[in-house]
């Protein structure tokens, strides 16, 4: 099996370095994805709906090692290809959807720092989006012979219907003034406000002469405002991706969990009722986060009723229209195709440069199965790392026989490495693993 598109040396090296380290590559995902056509198609339809002014929300649920991180990264890339803006962040003890001590603002700030566009997929694109918007306003002002700030006000008029819309306009006009005057401090302060990095209103008022900041109690409203702004800047919509939602499940305080679940319910209701526009959320979490009746989403009755799965989708039947999307573990067939894809990445898509023949792939899988058992299908991170290392040695030692080398490879059980981090189960999550797409 060969990759579908030509692979540049730079992308090849980036993919292999990530795989060898056990993390998801930032680029070139199409060269290693396998399967999951139905799930990918469902998310593409969600993105198209967002681009057309609708809204979407998905809970991507899978065990540790089921490929959630890879799937979420692929969703972001698909959104970027369709001219959406994406933001993403991992939840953590200091980053939540709802809080009163700055944790929700911290989640927003982290997500917006990772804001990406098609031309800047690695993140940090907020300044590019703002600059694009201001440039269009300057052209509009010149065409209509009006003041630039008046053109900004006119273009931002739809934001006045949103909570915080007035301050948004004031901050963008401050950015324009700073840009025009070459005042880096002023433009930097404006971007800092838009990223939610001001912790006090006093500091923001001194820097920008605005009365409010993006704070814990307004994070969701700020995402709705951001989605409206990026569309005014010429993009198709905003896709928000949050991983490690299991951190809400781990909250010790029942009140804190329920407050976060209430915020999730608000987002879900807005999406289902059509109150959100040009905005999508994708949440990645474990089955416990969803189904635990004491601490998971199912402990909140209103969410359980809305997230209950289709009772008719049994005995192999699937329904991908609901908000919950379950990711299964790798099958042996998936892993075989994945190993073939990795082999093709090494060869940059040229079958003549394959380092091992086809028969080496099932032999390598049989070797892994003999070493660590069927667990390598469920959490195959170390199997993939071992295969990359195996091919690396063959590439650098062309006289070494591929068959003799397989028997000398030691493959660790990923479950054992997870036990080493028993106090930090999120560290054992699927940074690489399943690639089952």
């Amino acid at each position: 099996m060969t990759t579908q598109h030509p692979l540049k040396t730079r992308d090849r090296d980036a993919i292999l370095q990530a795989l060898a380290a056990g993390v998801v590559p930032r680029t070139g995902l199409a060269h290693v994805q396998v399967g999951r056509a139905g799930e990918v198609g469902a998310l593409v339809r969600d993105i198209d709906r967002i681009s057309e002014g609708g809204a979407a929300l998905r809970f991507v649920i899978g065990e540790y090692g089921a490929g959630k991180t890879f799937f979420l990264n692929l969703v972001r890339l698909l959104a970027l290809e369709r001219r959406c803006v994406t933001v993403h962040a991992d939840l953590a003890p200091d980053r939540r959807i709802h809080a009163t001590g700055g944790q929700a603002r911290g989640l927003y700030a982290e997500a917006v720092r990772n804001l990406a566009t098609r031309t800047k997929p690695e993140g940090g694109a907020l300044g590019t989006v703002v600059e694009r918007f201001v440039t269009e306003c300057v052209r509009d002002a010149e065409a209509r012979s009006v003041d630039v700030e008046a053109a900004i006000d006119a273009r931002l008029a739809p934001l006045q219907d949103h909570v915080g819309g007035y301050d948004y306009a004031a901050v963008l006009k401050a950015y324009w003034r700073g840009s025009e005057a070459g005042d880096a401090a002023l433009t930097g302060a404006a971007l800092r406000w838009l990223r939610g990095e001001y912790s006090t209103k006093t500091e923001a008022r001194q820097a920008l002469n605005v009365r409010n900041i993006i704070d814990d109690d307004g994070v969701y409203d700020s995402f709705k405002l951001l989605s409206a702004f990026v569309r005014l800047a010429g993009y198709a919509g905003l896709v928000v991706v949050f991983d490690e939602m299991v951190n809400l499940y781990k909250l010790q305080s029942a009140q804190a969990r329920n407050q976060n679940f209430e915020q999730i319910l608000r987002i879900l209701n807005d999406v289902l009722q059509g109150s959100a526009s040009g905005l999508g959320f994708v949440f990645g979490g474990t089955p416990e986060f969803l189904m635990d009746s004491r601490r998971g989403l199912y402990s909140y009755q209103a969410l359980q009723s809305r997230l209950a799965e289709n009772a008719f989708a049994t005995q192999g039947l699937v329904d991908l229209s609901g908000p919950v999307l379950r990711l299964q573990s790798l099958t042996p067939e998936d892993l075989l195709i994945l190993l073939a894809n990795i082999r093709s990445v090494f060869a940059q898509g040229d079958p003549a440069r394959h380092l091992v023949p086809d028969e080496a792939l099932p032999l390598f899988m049989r070797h892994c199965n003999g070493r660590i058992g069927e667990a390598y299908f469920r959490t195959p991170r170390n199997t993939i790392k071992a295969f990359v290392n195996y091919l690396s040695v063959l590439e650098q030692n062309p006289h070494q026989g591929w068959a003799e080398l397989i028997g000398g490879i030691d493959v660790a059980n990923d479950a054992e490495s997870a036990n080493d981090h028993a106090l930090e189960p999120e560290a054992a999550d699927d940074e690489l693993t399943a690639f089952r797409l």
Side-chain angles (χ1 to χ4, degrees):
M1 177 177 179
T2 61
T3 50
Q4 299 299 312
H5 308 287
L7 185 59
K8 297 178 181 178
T9 300
R10 180 184 62 185
D11 293 335
R12 168 197 183 271
D13 293 344
I15 293 170
L16 295 178
Q17 286 172 5
L19 298 183
V23 297
V24 175
R26 284 187 172 269
T27 61
L29 299 187
H31 296 282
V32 288
Q33 69 179 44
V34 293
R36 289 216 187 281
E39 291 87 342
V40 171
L43 267 297
V44 168
R45 289 191 290 274
D46 285 353
I47 295 168
D48 288 341
R49 188 182 315 124
I50 294 165
S51 300
E52 294 167 0
L57 185 148
R58 292 281 183 165
F59 295 87
V60 177
I61 303 298
E63 299 281 359
Y64 289 115
K68 294 187 298 298
T69 298
F70 185 90
F71 191 86
L72 296 178
N73 282 3
L74 183 63
V75 168
R76 291 197 299 107
L77 291 180
L78 291 171
L80 294 178
E81 289 175 1
R82 284 159 175 77
R83 295 182 52 254
C84 285
V85 170
T86 69
V87 296
H88 71 276
D90 290 351
L91 269 69
D94 60 342
R95 292 198 292 265
R96 309 176 201 162
I97 294 176
H98 179 280
T100 56
Q103 298 93 335
R105 183 176 57 80
L107 177 67
Y108 181 88
E110 175 67 15
V112 178
R113 277 193 291 270
N114 292 325
L115 187 146
T117 62
R118 182 166 54 180
T119 57
K120 204 168 183 181
E122 71 279 2
L126 177 63
T128 302
V129 174
V130 172
E131 193 64 39
R132 174 175 173 171
F133 172 81
V134 169
T135 300
E136 287 298 317
C137 290
V138 171
R139 291 174 182 166
D140 181 44
E142 292 174 349
R144 297 192 294 124
S145 300
V146 298
D147 183 73
V148 173
E149 292 196 19
I152 292 175
D153 281 332
R155 186 160 294 207
L156 292 180
L159 296 192
Q160 301 306 317
D161 297 333
H162 294 264
V163 176
Y166 177 82
D167 290 316
Y168 225 80
V171 169
L172 288 168
K173 285 188 289 188
Y175 179 93
W176 150 249
R177 290 194 298 272
S179 178
E180 184 71 0
D183 187 345
L186 186 55
T187 57
L191 293 176
R192 184 182 171 195
W193 188 96
L194 293 169
R195 285 194 296 262
E197 293 178 352
Y198 281 106
S199 58
T200 67
K201 295 179 181 179
T202 300
E203 188 181 7
R205 186 165 59 250
Q206 291 172 346
L208 295 163
N209 195 29
V210 292
R211 294 182 175 275
N212 296 301
I213 60 173
I214 296 172
D215 212 344
D216 283 337
D217 57 357
V219 162
Y220 173 48
D221 289 321
S222 296
F223 278 123
K224 291 200 289 186
L225 198 55
L226 181 60
S227 73
F229 170 64
V230 299
R231 282 181 289 142
L232 291 174
Y235 298 91
L238 177 70
V239 176
V240 181
V241 179
F242 288 155
D243 202 358
E244 302 291 357
M245 295 290 287
V246 70
N247 278 284
L248 300 184
Y249 164 83
K250 295 176 185 177
L251 289 173
Q252 296 299 314
S253 166
Q255 180 181 6
R257 286 196 306 273
N258 286 335
Q259 287 172 336
N260 276 271
F261 293 164
E262 285 175 7
Q263 197 72 351
I264 292 174
L265 178 63
R266 181 189 172 198
I267 297 172
L268 182 59
N269 285 340
D270 274 4
V271 170
L272 296 177
Q273 296 169 1
S275 300
S277 179
L279 176 62
F281 286 86
V282 186
F283 298 143
T286 61
E288 293 81 7
F289 159 70
L290 174 69
M291 301 183 66
D292 189 283
S293 59
R294 293 185 306 109
R295 302 175 65 161
L297 293 178
Y298 276 16
S299 69
Y300 201 82
Q301 186 59 42
L303 282 172
Q304 181 178 3
S305 63
R306 287 163 174 78
L307 300 179
E309 297 178 63
N310 191 332
F312 293 98
T314 59
Q315 299 178 340
L317 301 177
V318 298
D319 175 18
L320 300 176
S321 64
V324 175
L325 194 66
R326 289 184 176 272
L327 300 184
Q328 303 301 320
S329 298
L330 280 171
T331 66
E333 294 78 11
D334 290 328
L335 188 54
L336 181 64
I337 296 172
L338 174 57
L339 295 184
N341 284 347
I342 295 173
R343 179 184 64 170
S344 188
V345 168
F346 263 91
Q348 290 185 254
D350 182 0
R353 296 171 56 190
H354 283 172
L355 295 169
V356 294
D358 290 345
E359 57 264 31
L361 305 182
L363 283 176
F364 188 90
M365 291 174 60
R366 195 174 305 137
H367 165 78
C368 293
N369 191 38
R371 287 295 181 98
I372 63 177
E374 58 84 29
Y376 86 101
F377 292 121
R378 290 185 282 108
T379 56
R381 176 193 288 109
N382 287 337
T383 300
I384 296 168
K385 290 169 64 177
F387 188 66
V388 172
N389 291 335
Y390 167 63
L391 294 184
S392 294
V393 169
L394 290 177
E395 183 179 49
Q396 297 172 66
N397 300 272
H399 301 297
Q400 170 65 48
W402 65 265
E404 295 81 7
L405 191 59
I406 287 181
I409 298 174
D410 186 22
V411 183
N413 188 335
D414 214 32
E416 294 174 0
S417 63
N419 290 335
D420 293 338
H421 300 281
L423 297 179
E424 301 178 288
E426 64 273 14
D429 201 359
D430 53 341
E431 286 296 328
L432 163 67
T433 57
F435 286 102
R436 174 181 159 78
L437 285 170

